[in-house]
Amino acid sequence: VSLAKSEQGCSMLCSAGALHAVFVALRERAVSPELLRTCCRAVCLLYKFDGKLVAVVARLQGGIEALLDALREYLTCGDLRLLQWLLSALSDVSHTGSNTQVLVRHLG
C-alpha cells in the first residue's frame, strides 16, 4: 500500500504485474513465435527500467526456465530474430548470481 502512494512505487508495481503476465504467458506450451517475440521484447525493455526487479520476478515466476524451454523449442526454427530476442531476454534475467544458479541447474 505504501508503494502505491508514490509515483515511483506505482511504476514498480505496474512493472512487476507486467512481468508476471509475461512469464505466465511464456510458461504456456502453445506460445506462438510472435507472442514469444513480444514477451521477450517486454522483458528486455523492463530490464532497462529496473534490472533488479526483472531478475527477482523472473526467478520467482519461473521465467528463467520458461525462456530456456522456449529457446530449446525454437532453436532450430531458423527465425534468427526470435532467437536473438530469446537470448537477449535470457541474458537480462540471468545477470544475478542466484539467477545464474537457476539457469545452470535447469540446464542440468
Side-chain angles (χ1 to χ4, degrees):
V1 174
S2 63
L3 275 177
K5 292 182 181 180
S6 73
E7 190 171 317
Q8 183 180 9
C10 283
S11 62
M12 283 182 57
L13 289 172
C14 290
S15 296
L19 285 165
H20 171 74
V22 164
F23 294 132
V24 166
L26 285 173
R27 287 194 314 259
E28 296 295 319
R29 288 292 164 220
V31 177
S32 71
E34 187 57 37
L35 177 59
L36 188 56
R37 197 176 354 265
T38 301
C39 288
C40 289
R41 231 178 294 161
V43 168
C44 292
L45 291 171
L46 288 168
Y47 175 77
K48 291 177 184 177
F49 171 72
D50 189 343
K52 187 175 181 178
L53 178 68
V54 170
V56 169
V57 175
R59 186 175 60 252
L60 296 176
Q61 296 295 318
I64 299 165
E65 296 91 342
L67 285 167
L68 277 172
D69 291 343
L71 183 60
R72 283 184 181 124
E73 183 178 338
Y74 286 98
L75 193 58
T76 59
C77 72
D79 185 345
L80 296 179
R81 192 74 178 136
L82 174 58
L83 294 175
Q84 181 182 8
W85 278 112
L86 277 165
L87 289 170
S88 294
L90 192 57
S91 173
D92 287 350
V93 300
S94 61
H95 77 277
T96 65
S98 54
N99 285 14
T100 302
Q101 289 175 353
V102 172
L103 181 70
V104 169
R105 198 172 29 237
H106 194 69
L107 288 172

